[in-house]
Amino acid sequence: MVGKGQYFLLANRKQFLPHFLVLTLFMFSSLEISTSFDYGEALSKSLLYFEGQRSGRLPYNQRATWRHHSGLTDGLEQGVDLVGGYYDAGDNIKFGLPMAYTITLLSWSVIEFHDQIAAAGELRHALDAIKWGTDYFIKAHTHPHVLWAQVGDGETDHQCWQRPEDMTTSRRAYKVDEENPGSEVAAETAAAMAAASIVFRRINPRYSRLLLVHAKQLFEFGDKYRGRYDASIDVAKGYYPSVSGYMDELLWAALWLYKSTANISYFNYAIQNGESFGGTTWAITEFSWDVKYAGVQTIAAMLPTEGRSKEHKETLKKYRSKAEYFICACLNKNNYTNVERTPGGLLYTRHWNNMQYVSNALLPLTVYSNHLHSTNRTLRCDSGQVGPDEILTFVKSQVDYILGFNPMGVSYMVGYGPTYPVKVHHRGASTVSYRESKVFIGCMQGYYSWFGRRGSNPNVLVGALVGGPDKNDGFSDRRDNYAQTEACTYNTAPLVGIFAKFHALEKAYSNSTVSNK
């Protein structure tokens, strides 16, 4: 990491450089106070995090070596193989909705920033992270109208503090089906598999086609048998309740299926249901595992309008209006409703795991900035015109805050920089590694021996993005402070492509300054 006192200087040869390098110079030198971070390192560590969250039988090339096999009997009681997938956060539960959302975000990152991730040498790790999730979804989708959507439950899991290799808590599996529908989780899993099918289309076409088969079936299931998944899986309510309902997920899945298949029926679905489902009417200031409208609106806004009917163009225009409202809200450029910020400049939505809302917002902002640049467009906020460079500059300010340029001087990405959280609320990371000690750690023993200890976690959960600071930029690194020190897979997932983008810009800037000396 470049030290905080090492600032980039404005180059004076912009007129001789291609636009990409002009943008690079703008990004890394036009701010009065700007700090450079090693975004390539951040990218590598963000992908390593997903290996620390793996459930199941770990592969020979597992890099998070403090982890070991776990959950090897998942699904056994129900007669189905549910080994694999990801634990969502610091507990040992496999929640299908946030897991699928994580894979959708990872896939979106790879689709948009494939070349930059590949240039950084991290494409294989990104593909591995996606496939670990989609392999599990294939197992969990045992029938066109059956999806196993959760393994374990929060009530029993949270009574114990055990590393996943030792867990003795309930591993009951829960499903959605025709009689017990779950449109949110079915549609989000369809979106994840459709997006992943795009990722694997060239390198593994057979696997890509298999993912599409599942995606289509899951979308049809979620749409035909509509119902809130947390009404069917009651144990999900206290952890991942569906506040926004399922209509945003249905639109989200339809658009990803349209992108992956070019089948006009999915496009028509998003057009015909845009108003009644809220896609063209909801003005949103949040993008999250529960509320997908901003993502829906961003994708729809970028669809080409050439050759479309007047009605389709008008609907896409409405989608674009709402997408740009979200962006303007993040940039603090709406007249009335904007996303709150901390005194240090971080987007602030809620006290509990606020960083999820920050990182999640940055992906559609970065993608839309690329879109504006490629189409030579700007967007109009209440306070005036906004160009792609201004959006990207704001994204960089948030990324730099995450990595350590903040009032606390803390990197909220674990394992990055000289100062980062060392008491992350995470059962596996806070307990001695199974590879070091195979002595069984009981349910309450984990609380007495490991949760309550004052020292740092014995294992570093590299790449985890914790919940982060409060609305006044304050942060307390305590294991019991789960609102701030717990990390989730969907916190880190959207940053993968953004880190790759900034790594490429930083590299181009560095090369340009050398060549212009």
Side-chain angles (χ1 to χ4, degrees), residues 460-489:
V460 180
L461 190 63
V462 174
L465 178 61
V466 298
D470 61 25
K471 64 181 180 180
N472 295 312
D473 298 299
F475 179 77
S476 179
D477 187 10
R478 302 192 326 269
R479 207 168 286 115
D480 63 349
N481 182 18
Y482 43 82
Q484 292 190 310
T485 64
E486 189 168 22
C488 301
T489 56

Side-chain angles (χ1 to χ4, degrees), residues 187-476:
E188 184 59 61
T189 308
M193 298 180 96
S197 76
I198 300 173
V199 171
F200 290 103
R201 182 178 293 159
R202 291 186 177 181
I203 60 172
N204 194 340
R206 183 177 179 181
Y207 188 69
S208 174
R209 290 191 296 270
L210 176 61
L211 293 177
L212 269 183
V213 169
H214 285 279
K216 291 174 183 178
Q217 290 179 352
L218 283 164
F219 176 72
E220 186 267 342
F221 165 47
D223 186 43
K224 184 176 181 179
Y225 300 93
R226 294 181 185 177
R228 289 171 55 127
Y229 96 105
D230 56 355
S232 298
I233 303 178
D234 188 65
V235 292
K237 280 184 179 177
Y239 304 91
Y240 290 98
S242 178
V243 177
S244 70
Y246 53 74
M247 292 183 287
D248 51 338
E249 276 88 4
L250 288 173
L251 292 172
W252 179 240
L255 286 172
W256 277 112
L257 278 162
Y258 176 62
K259 288 175 67 69
S260 60
T261 66
N263 186 325
I264 195 66
S265 66
Y266 297 115
F267 172 80
N268 289 337
Y269 185 98
I271 293 294
Q272 293 163 6
N273 293 291
E275 183 174 350
S276 61
F277 282 16
T280 60
T281 55
W282 279 104
I284 296 293
T285 58
E286 170 189 327
F287 179 47
S288 67
W289 60 264
D290 179 34
V291 186
K292 314 287 167 50
Y293 284 112
V296 169
Q297 292 156 355
T298 300
I299 291 178
M302 296 187 295
L303 294 177
T305 58
E306 294 80 6
R308 308 283 191 194
S309 68
K310 182 179 179 181
E311 177 190 359
H312 288 176
K313 287 181 179 179
E314 283 300 312
T315 303
L316 290 176
K317 184 178 179 180
K318 291 177 182 177
Y319 271 117
R320 185 173 74 242
S321 172
K322 294 302 184 287
E324 295 186 349
Y325 178 94
F326 172 73
I327 294 170
C328 293
C330 292
L331 296 176
N332 198 34
K333 290 183 176 292
N334 285 330
N335 281 342
Y336 300 106
T337 305
N338 293 296
V339 182
E340 187 180 344
R341 297 191 193 181
T342 68
L346 183 72
L347 292 172
Y348 187 82
T349 301
R350 292 183 185 87
H351 174 65
W352 195 315
N353 188 17
N354 180 64
M355 274 302 185
Q356 67 172 303
Y357 305 107
V358 180
S359 65
N360 284 211
L362 298 185
L363 182 55
L365 261 66
T366 306
V367 169
Y368 204 69
S369 171
N370 285 355
H371 171 71
L372 292 177
H373 173 250
S374 65
T375 57
N376 197 28
R377 285 187 55 242
T378 60
L379 63 86
R380 176 174 289 278
C381 297
D382 291 335
S383 63
Q385 295 292 123
V386 175
D389 294 355
E390 184 174 352
I391 298 172
L392 207 57
T393 298
F394 173 72
V395 171
K396 182 178 184 296
S397 74
Q398 300 297 291
V399 170
D400 288 354
Y401 186 110
I402 289 170
L403 294 181
F405 198 65
N406 56 63
M408 295 291 292
V410 172
S411 165
Y412 292 107
M413 173 170 278
V414 178
Y416 182 93
T419 306
Y420 53 81
V422 296
K423 299 178 183 178
V424 180
H425 182 92
H426 189 276
R427 284 160 174 74
S430 65
T431 308
V432 63
S433 169
Y434 185 82
R435 292 181 180 273
E436 287 188 23
S437 173
K438 293 180 173 56
V439 176
F440 175 77
I441 297 173
C443 172
M444 296 307 296
Q445 181 187 354
Y447 274 114
Y448 300 143
S449 300
W450 296 100
F451 178 80
R453 66 194 294 266
R454 295 183 179 181
S456 302
N457 288 354
N459 309 299
V460 180
L461 190 63
V462 174
L465 178 61
V466 298
D470 61 25
K471 64 181 180 180
N472 295 312
D473 298 299
F475 179 77
S476 179

Side-chain angles (χ1 to χ4, degrees), residues 54-59 67-77 80-84 87 94 132 139 151 164-167 171 434:
R54 284 171 170 169
S55 179
R57 185 167 296 279
L58 304 186
R67 284 296 322 284
H68 198 59
H69 311 315
S70 64
L72 299 183
T73 61
D74 284 357
L76 184 62
E77 289 182 36
V80 59
D81 178 6
L82 296 176
V83 176
Y87 303 116
K94 295 192 294 197
W132 194 267
K139 290 182 175 184
V151 179
E165 293 83 358
D166 285 333
M167 58 184 167
R171 300 308 291 170
Y434 185 82

